[in-house]
């Protein structure tokens, strides 16, 4: 049993396959690849997609597609690198590593890039660290010893020294402006040359050289200062012909983080637009065809490996999930959440509990699609009319008694729903079914409200985890 599905297997060079393209992004990936392959100018693309849309899987597939086409690709995990103080060194080191692996460490373009990157890193590393330390020390001294003449003298001396350091720093910066400008141009030229050399190395006779593709993933999960440092460095230092940056993020979430860092009134959207040339949206997978939803359910079912008491329960649950997912046109994210809830609740249920898997599955989906109805289930206030509307059925189908032999699994589930929400329903209507032996000994069997509470507690609180080997 798993609580989260495993990622599809994506080859380093291969991209989209019928087995791993569970979100159906092949066509979009090919279009994006065609765009990147035919642009010669500097290009920074923002790939915008919400959490749970499959953008991490897509970008790995797309990276494989681009490698298969002959492009060199760097996949940079921004969230995993935001421990660094300076994004420039983190970005430059990735390109140097690629150049060394592709061209060899002694290759002229690779060596020149390394040398200029070192100079840029040294020149444009965060300045004022020592200055900040001195100012911070002065503040500490002031806090510790206010009122002391000796301490005041120290503060005054440190203040004077700080002022001199600041004046010298500004003077030096003014004098070195031209030198720094020339250094930046030299770095950009070395980046352009090394990317061209890498492209020519990877080029085949039947293909034109492709740009170096640098993917920056997980930007929206970073600390805002580091994330901003990344996009600023990309724009001002790394934006050159033959290099394409793809910034992968949930853009509204990133904008929220930026406003949190700079204030609620800060126009984060307009500010961020300065740092990319093109924004593309990952196609919305929320309302896909029934075929794709069924395919995703099957994929999750195989990966999560839910554990039920018998195969009949598993088949009824899968049937109910398919029906409700398509009836409510659930997004892929909500399908995954609902199935995770089903798997987890089924795993912690034990023989001492009343446990109706298909009804449990319905509640898990209700939790995603109709939180208001789910709250009513927790409060024991659901009505049969609520269930008819949620299950999208004609109530007249349930007003006829059936025997076990001719009652389909779904109709049996509907009768259980009616028993749970309608206390007037006779227990005799339930005892005729094949699962009577499992439930008839339960003290809660004659109390539908207790049954509802048992199921919602399983979903929400996971009470009474079974002991191992119980």
């Amino acid at each position: 049993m798993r609580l989260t599905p495993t990622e599809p297997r994506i080859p380093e060079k291969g991209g989209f396959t019928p087995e791993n393209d569970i979100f159906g992004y092949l066509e979009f990936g090919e279009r994006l690849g065609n765009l990147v392959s035919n642009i010669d100018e500097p290009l920074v693309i923002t790939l915008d997609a919400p959490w749970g849309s499959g953008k991490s899987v897509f970008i790995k597939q797309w990276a494989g597609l681009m490698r298969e086409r002959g492009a060199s690709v760097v996949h940079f995990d921004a969230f995993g690198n935001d421990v660094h103080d300076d994004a420039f060194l983190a970005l430059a080191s990735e390109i140097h590593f690629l150049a060394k692996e592709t061209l060899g460490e002694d290759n002229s373009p690779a060596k020149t890039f390394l040398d200029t990157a070192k100079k840029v890193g040294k020149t444009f590393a965060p300045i004022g660290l020592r200055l900040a330390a001195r100012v911070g020390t002065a503040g500490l001294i002031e806090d510790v010893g206010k009122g002391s003449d000796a301490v005041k003298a120290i503060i005054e001396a440190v203040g004077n020294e700080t002022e001199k350091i600041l004046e010298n720093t500004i003077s030096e910066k003014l004098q070195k402006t031209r030198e720094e400008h020339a250094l930046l141009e030299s770095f950009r030229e070395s980046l352009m040359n090394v990317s061209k050399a890498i492209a020519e190395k990877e080029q085949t006779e039947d293909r034109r050289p492709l740009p170096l593709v640098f993917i920056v993933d997980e930007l929206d999960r970073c600390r805002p200062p580091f994330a901003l440092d990344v996009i600023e460095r990309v724009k001002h230092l790394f934006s050159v012909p033959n290099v394409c940056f793809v910034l992968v993020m949930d853009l509204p979430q990133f904008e929220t983080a930026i406003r949190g860092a700079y204030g609620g009134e800060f126009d984060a959207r307009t500010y961020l637009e300065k740092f990319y040339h093109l924004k593309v949206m990952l196609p919305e997978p929320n309302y896909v065809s029934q075929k794709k939803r069924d395919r995703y359910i099957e994929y999750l079912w195989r990966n999560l490996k839910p554990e039920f008491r018998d195969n009949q329960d598993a088949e009824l649950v899968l049937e109910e999930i398919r029906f409700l997912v398509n009836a409510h046109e659930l997004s892929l994210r909500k399908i995954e959440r609902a199935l995770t809830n089903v798997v987890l609740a089924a795993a912690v249920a034990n023989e001492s509990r009343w446990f109706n898997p298909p009804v449990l599955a319905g509640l898990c989906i209700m939790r995603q699609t109709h939180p208001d109805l789910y709250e009513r289930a927790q409060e024991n206030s659901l009505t049969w009319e609520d269930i008819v509307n949620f299950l999208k059925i004609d109530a007249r189908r349930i007003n006829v008694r059936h025997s076990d032999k001719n009652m389909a699994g779904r109709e049996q589930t509907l009768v259980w729903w009616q028993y749970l929400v309608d206390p007037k329903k006779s227990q005799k209507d339930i005892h005729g079914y094949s699962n009577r032996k499992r439930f008839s000994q339960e003290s809660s069997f004659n109390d539908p409200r207790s049954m509802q509470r048992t199921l919602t507690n399983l979903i929400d609180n996971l009470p009474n985890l079974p002991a191992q080997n119980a």
Side-chain angles (χ1 to χ4, degrees), residues 30 82 141 178 248 289 305 358 380 440:
E30 289 180 334
D82 75 349
I141 293 172
R178 284 185 175 273
V248 184
S289 67
K305 299 178 181 178
N380 300 325
S440 61

Side-chain angles (χ1 to χ4, degrees), residues 309-310 312-313 351 353-357 434-442:
R309 290 166 177 167
D310 54 48
Q312 181 186 10
D313 281 350
E351 294 296 332
R353 289 191 167 278
W354 186 89
F355 177 54
N356 188 291
S434 59
N435 47 13
R436 172 181 60 80
K437 291 182 180 179
R438 180 184 304 163
F439 304 128
S440 61
Q441 303 300 320
E442 297 292 334

Side-chain angles (χ1 to χ4, degrees), residues 94-318:
E94 294 286 343
I95 295 176
H96 173 248
F97 179 79
L98 175 64
K100 185 173 66 173
E101 290 291 306
T102 307
L103 305 174
E105 193 166 6
D106 295 331
N107 177 271
S108 179
K111 193 171 182 180
T112 301
F113 175 80
L114 177 61
D115 292 340
T116 54
K118 287 179 180 178
K119 293 176 182 177
V120 171
K122 181 179 179 181
T123 303
F124 293 93
I127 63 171
L129 294 179
R130 290 189 297 272
L131 177 62
R134 294 192 182 205
V135 172
T137 303
L140 178 62
I141 293 172
E142 186 174 8
D143 288 340
V144 172
K146 286 182 179 180
S148 167
D149 292 339
V151 169
K152 288 180 180 179
I154 293 173
I155 293 172
E156 183 178 354
V158 171
N160 293 336
E161 180 67 16
T162 298
E163 186 175 355
K164 291 179 182 178
I165 293 172
L166 182 58
E167 290 177 354
N168 292 337
T169 300
I170 294 173
S171 177
E172 290 174 3
K173 292 293 291 182
L174 289 172
Q175 294 174 12
K176 291 183 178 180
T177 298
R178 284 185 175 273
E179 297 176 14
E180 291 174 354
H181 180 74
L183 177 59
L184 290 179
E185 288 301 317
S186 177
F187 172 75
R188 294 191 187 99
E189 183 178 358
S190 70
L191 173 58
M192 189 167 52
N193 290 337
V194 78
S195 64
K196 183 179 179 180
I198 292 172
E200 291 174 348
K201 181 77 173 181
E202 298 291 340
Q203 181 185 11
T204 59
E205 292 183 0
D206 58 335
R207 294 175 178 172
R208 57 171 285 182
L210 296 179
L212 167 62
V213 178
F214 198 117
I215 297 168
V216 182
D217 202 1
E218 305 283 11
L219 261 174
D220 49 340
R221 296 181 63 193
C222 294
R223 294 177 295 109
F226 182 77
L228 282 173
D229 194 21
V230 168
I231 62 175
E232 288 170 355
R233 300 290 186 172
V234 166
K235 176 68 173 179
H236 298 304
L237 298 177
F238 291 87
S239 186
V240 301
N242 208 48
V243 177
C244 173
F245 276 86
V246 181
L247 311 179
V248 184
M249 69 183 83
D250 180 345
L251 192 55
Q253 180 65 30
F254 190 37
E255 291 169 0
T256 300
I258 299 304
R259 282 192 293 270
Y262 291 96
E265 301 301 320
F266 185 74
D267 189 353
R269 175 160 299 184
T270 300
Y271 177 74
L272 292 175
E273 286 175 353
K274 301 176 182 178
F275 297 100
Y276 57 83
H277 301 99
L278 177 67
K279 182 182 81 170
V280 296
M281 298 285 296
L282 197 62
E284 179 58 66
N286 285 356
Y287 298 99
V288 295
S289 67
Q290 177 175 338
K291 181 179 179 180
K292 288 184 179 179
R293 282 192 291 267
D294 288 343
R295 184 181 177 190
Y296 191 51
I297 291 170
E298 294 291 343
Y299 168 77
L300 292 174
W301 198 258
R302 290 194 307 270
N303 271 263
L304 299 179
K305 299 178 181 178
E307 298 175 357
F308 294 99
R309 290 166 177 167
D310 54 48
N311 290 334
Q312 181 186 10
D313 281 350
E315 291 171 2
L316 287 174
V317 169
L318 190 55

Side-chain angles (χ1 to χ4, degrees), residues 312 315-316 319-320 358 397-398 400-416 433-435:
Q312 181 186 10
E315 291 171 2
L316 287 174
E319 178 186 353
E320 189 72 2
R397 293 179 60 198
I398 304 306
V400 179
R401 304 286 178 84
H402 297 273
S403 69
D404 244 2
K405 293 181 179 180
N406 61 18
M407 174 170 279
R410 173 149 181 77
E411 292 177 331
Q412 181 176 336
T413 300
L414 300 182
V415 173
W416 276 107
Y433 302 133
S434 59
N435 47 13

Side-chain angles (χ1 to χ4, degrees), residues 38-57:
N38 290 286
I39 295 294
D40 297 320
E41 60 186 317
L43 184 62
V44 179
I45 299 173
T46 289
L47 176 63
D48 181 20
W51 181 88
S53 59
K55 60 179 179 292
S56 293
V57 171

